[in-house]
Amino acid sequence: MLIKNPKSYELKEHQVTDETTYLNRRELLKKMGYVGTGSLLASASANAGPLDFFGKKEDDKVFARTALDFKAQPQDGSEILTPEAKVASHNNFYEFGLDKADPAKNSQGLKVDPWQLSISGEMNNPFTLGYDDLFKKYPLEERIYRLRCVEAWSMVIPWVGFSLADVIKAANPTSKAKYVAFETLYDPKQMPGQRSRRIGGGIDYPYVEGLRIDEAMNRLSFLSVGLYGKTLPPQNGAPIRLVVPWKYGFKSIKSIVSIKLVEKQPPTTWNILAPHEYGFYANVNPAVSHPRWSQASERRITTGGLFARNRIETLPFNGYGEEVAALYKNMDLAKFY
Amino acid sequence: MWLSKSIVHLASLLPLCWLYYHAINDTLGADPVETVIHFTGIGALNLLLITLLISPSAERFKQPKLLKFRRMLGLWAFTYALLHLLNFIAFELQFDWSLLFSEIVERPYITVGMAAFVVLLLLTVTSVNRIKKQMGPKWQKLHNWVYIASIAVVVHFYWSIKSDIYEPGIYAIMLAWLLALRKLKIKRWLKIG
Ligand code: HEM
């Protein structure tokens, strides 16, 4: 269900899924220094400074991912996918370190089975999903979504999962269910960023996020359990994460253990940390700048090195306006950023 | 002397060769643009702090020879800063000049970085012996601005970051220490103006 904007992308030729990347993932990861004999690259590509004490080497241990059964999304070649190796090595997941390369390095040991995702709050039918339920309870489908980070870079990612609405409907919400509150796993033993404020960027964990109920019920709101046809790697939020493609990436909370329906707008992590910079809504909006960077354009990360000309215009609602603009009909989006 | 100087040059140059080789071949992680900006930014700051460490060390350990490295390290710091800026313009903004100008005006961390860069540029231009002689005592006054520039860079670093305060914090402490080592000189300078 790729909702495309015909203007910005029609120039692109054809789907480049980079078969070799796909097949030689391990080889590539090795080259990039995430597994194996901690090459020179490992420390240097991770961060520039000699003050980078974070670069822990978890030797030769890669999180095992399994292939999933799902309904594939027909690919029309309108957008170039971000290669899997890049999707899985450029992550903001401060529970595993601040540098983009840290999560891939520090999260490979994350235990996801058993897992408990509790669905609770203002509903008639609270329930809990165990690890196997995540892959069996709802029919899995693929969705190719653009992901726009608040830091002005973006990717195109083939997720596998199911609609958030399926879960909420099954819970049979009461009339008091006005918002949805999400929570990431809190496990300092496994998540070094939760143990140390230095590694975790001074955030108060667990990471929490939220949506308005009508946003959550929108058919684009997605719970992902996989990407590129396999279960999620930990750095991308294994075993289950939210994907709300019209909002900045930090809304798409990872490694979720709780989905709660609530009456009041729930607190959200980045909003608590810097309320002037990150709002509750965080809809992708080229007209409203982040105080420290413009949001008018973005760099699309696909293949190509330093000389890739990849700066493109940012679209309102990340190009998904047709689906979601109506949710914000009478709202001043400069005020509710 | 030439040997140790060559080592300094190589130690500054080789990381750049390695960096751009991998960045151009797309083997520098997922987003080579971010990596080169951060690498050259941190590199420039590191070199700047090492430059500031030279005079106090020469004094403390009675090694006047060390002073011979000061200019070349300062010039390398500028080179890294220049690449940092060029990376930002060429690879991050991709020559969107209007965006560059609005960024300089609207983003305090860019404004401060730019101010630091301009100072470093002036110091570099006036580092030529002939110009140094011509400037006389004014030269020292101008070059004292390196302290202001260093503070600006650390502020730039701190403001550029989303939530981490430790890494810029460590740099702030190191800089504070380097400035404290020349407390008297700076006090005198500020008084005379
Ligand atoms: C000429 C104007 C300058 C511009 C436009 C500029 C731009 C930038 C940008 C875009 C970032 C990255 C922010 C981010 O994405 O996190 C950055 C970070 C940085 N810059 Fe600059 N900068 C300038 C001058 C300088 C100078 C003169 C120095 C040092 C001598 C410097 C040192 C740094 C450092 C240490 C960082 C942090 C790197 C990191 O987070 O790893 N910058 N700068």
Side-chain angles (χ1 to χ4, degrees):
Chain A
M1 133 162 4
L2 176 65
I3 288 58
K4 57 178 184 227
N5 172 289
K7 266 186 235 130
S8 334
Y9 311 106
E10 62 192 1
L11 317 166
K12 304 276 162 65
E13 303 188 16
H14 279 290
Q15 192 85 29
V16 184
T17 311
D18 210 330
E19 201 68 25
T20 45
T21 306
Y22 205 59
L23 297 174
N24 296 335
R25 177 167 178 277
R26 210 187 135 75
E27 208 39 50
L28 247 154
L29 275 177
K30 213 175 220 162
K31 270 195 212 130
M32 298 172 76
Y34 299 127
V35 288
T37 48
S39 56
L40 174 64
L41 289 178
S43 47
S45 78
N47 202 342
L51 279 167
D52 177 25
F53 328 100
F54 314 147
K56 215 185 291 159
K57 287 189 198 81
E58 299 259 305
D59 257 291
D60 240 341
K61 197 169 58 176
V62 186
F63 181 86
R65 295 171 59 197
T66 45
L68 292 169
D69 243 343
F70 59 93
K71 189 171 120 237
Q73 174 183 325
Q75 307 195 352
D76 57 6
S78 62
E79 302 214 56
I80 300 176
L81 297 189
T82 303
E84 187 180 12
K86 291 199 173 194
V87 175
S89 64
H90 191 73
N91 309 100
N92 279 321
F93 199 172
Y94 284 11
E95 283 83 342
F96 294 106
L98 302 177
D99 192 85
K100 298 279 188 303
D102 286 340
K105 273 190 286 174
N106 299 334
S107 71
Q108 296 307 302
L110 182 71
K111 268 192 73 159
V112 295
D113 184 9
W115 193 265
Q116 293 225 309
L117 168 56
S118 94
I119 321 289
S120 67
E122 302 291 350
M123 56 181 63
N124 295 309
N125 179 30
F127 59 100
T128 300
L129 295 175
Y131 183 76
D132 291 331
D133 300 332
L134 300 179
F135 308 96
K136 296 213 176 101
K137 183 130 185 212
Y138 307 95
L140 299 182
E141 60 173 304
E142 181 176 55
R143 296 216 194 149
I144 299 175
Y145 279 159
R146 295 179 287 274
L147 175 94
R148 170 63 157 80
C149 179
V150 72
E151 298 165 339
W153 53 267
S154 61
M155 294 182 172
V156 181
I157 304 174
W159 302 107
V160 178
F162 42 89
S163 288
L164 174 59
D166 291 349
V167 178
I168 296 177
K169 273 185 223 146
N172 192 3
T174 67
S175 59
K176 281 188 180 162
K178 304 254 164 61
Y179 291 89
V180 188
F182 303 86
E183 196 174 306
T184 295
L185 175 70
Y186 182 73
D187 187 352
K189 274 211 195 79
Q190 297 203 72
M191 296 178 150
Q194 295 177 340
R195 284 200 298 273
S196 143
R197 290 184 75 77
R198 175 174 64 74
I199 298 174
I203 287 176
D204 284 321
Y205 293 104
Y207 194 93
V208 288
E209 256 308 334
L211 294 173
R212 227 168 49 193
I213 189 82
D214 56 342
E215 297 178 316
M217 295 302 287
N218 186 280
R219 69 189 188 108
L220 291 183
S221 295
F222 196 60
L223 285 169
S224 163
V225 296
L227 66 85
Y228 269 101
K230 283 173 281 173
T231 50
L232 290 171
Q235 60 270 31
N236 295 89
I240 184 164
R241 64 160 306 158
L242 181 68
V243 184
V244 267
W246 73 95
K247 292 174 180 283
Y248 293 120
F250 65 86
K251 294 295 290 183
S252 292
I253 183 171
K254 296 175 171 178
S255 304
I256 306 171
V257 293
S258 163
I259 297 178
K260 198 168 179 182
L261 302 187
V262 294
E263 195 174 5
K264 299 249 159 62
Q265 179 177 310
T268 58
T269 291
W270 280 98
N271 180 248
I272 297 169
L273 202 71
H276 304 297
E277 301 180 24
Y278 312 97
F280 173 79
Y281 286 94
N283 293 318
V284 174
N285 190 348
V288 176
S289 290
H290 182 278
R292 277 174 291 157
W293 47 82
S294 159
Q295 296 292 20
S297 58
E298 68 204 48
R299 276 187 314 102
R300 172 63 52 84
I301 296 175
T302 54
T303 46
L306 204 48
F307 291 102
R309 300 287 82 175
N310 55 5
R311 187 163 277 280
I312 57 178
E313 264 178 52
T314 292
L315 304 170
F317 302 111
N318 203 19
Y320 298 99
E322 223 173 283
E323 256 77 9
V324 300
L327 294 169
Y328 312 101
K329 249 191 332 254
N330 298 316
M331 284 175 68
D332 176 0
L333 291 176
K335 196 165 149 228
F336 296 98
Y337 52 91
Chain B
M1 200 64 195
W2 69 266
L3 182 64
S4 29
K5 280 196 171 168
S6 310
I7 290 173
V8 173
H9 284 308
L10 279 179
S12 310
L13 181 64
L14 289 180
L16 290 176
C17 297
W18 172 87
L19 179 75
Y20 286 102
Y21 172 80
H22 285 290
I24 290 165
N25 288 301
D26 200 18
T27 46
L28 193 65
D31 187 6
V33 177
E34 181 185 315
T35 310
V36 292
I37 289 176
H38 286 200
F39 191 103
T40 50
I42 293 275
L45 178 54
N46 287 343
L47 284 160
L48 197 58
L49 295 188
I50 294 172
T51 311
L52 288 177
L53 188 59
I54 298 268
S55 309
S57 313
E59 219 171 285
R60 174 87 170 67
F61 303 110
K62 312 227 163 16
Q63 292 288 335
K65 267 193 193 147
L66 276 178
L67 292 175
K68 294 225 164 19
F69 295 94
R70 199 172 54 180
R71 174 162 64 185
M72 62 192 279
L73 281 163
L75 291 178
W76 272 111
F78 172 74
T79 307
Y80 271 67
L82 178 65
L83 288 170
H84 179 68
L85 175 61
L86 293 178
N87 287 331
F88 181 65
I89 294 172
F91 306 127
E92 174 70 45
L93 303 184
Q94 303 180 5
F95 301 107
D96 183 340
W97 296 104
S98 64
L99 185 52
L100 175 68
F101 290 112
S102 66
E103 291 287 282
I104 291 174
V105 177
E106 284 170 31
R107 316 274 162 237
Y109 88 95
I110 300 277
T111 316
V112 170
M114 200 65 197
F117 179 78
V118 169
V119 172
L120 294 183
L121 177 67
L122 287 176
L123 303 190
T124 300
V125 171
T126 56
S127 70
V128 188
N129 276 335
R130 197 168 44 82
I131 297 183
K132 184 173 176 180
K133 285 224 181 74
Q134 276 173 10
M135 288 180 68
K138 275 200 216 120
W139 187 89
Q140 185 58 53
K141 263 195 204 152
L142 176 65
H143 279 246
N144 285 342
W145 276 78
V146 72
Y147 309 133
I148 310 273
S150 322
I151 294 169
V153 170
V154 171
V155 171
H156 166 72
F157 187 1
Y158 176 63
W159 282 350
S160 82
I161 273 181
K162 283 202 305 188
S163 76
D164 175 36
I165 49 164
Y166 288 89
E167 206 172 334
I170 291 166
Y171 276 98
I173 291 167
M174 290 196 296
L175 177 62
W177 173 66
L178 286 168
L179 295 180
L181 288 176
R182 27 171 85 72
K183 208 167 46 200
L184 287 178
K185 181 181 168 194
I186 292 175
K187 265 195 194 148
R188 233 181 302 133
W189 172 50
L190 291 179
K191 234 177 253 153
I192 300 167

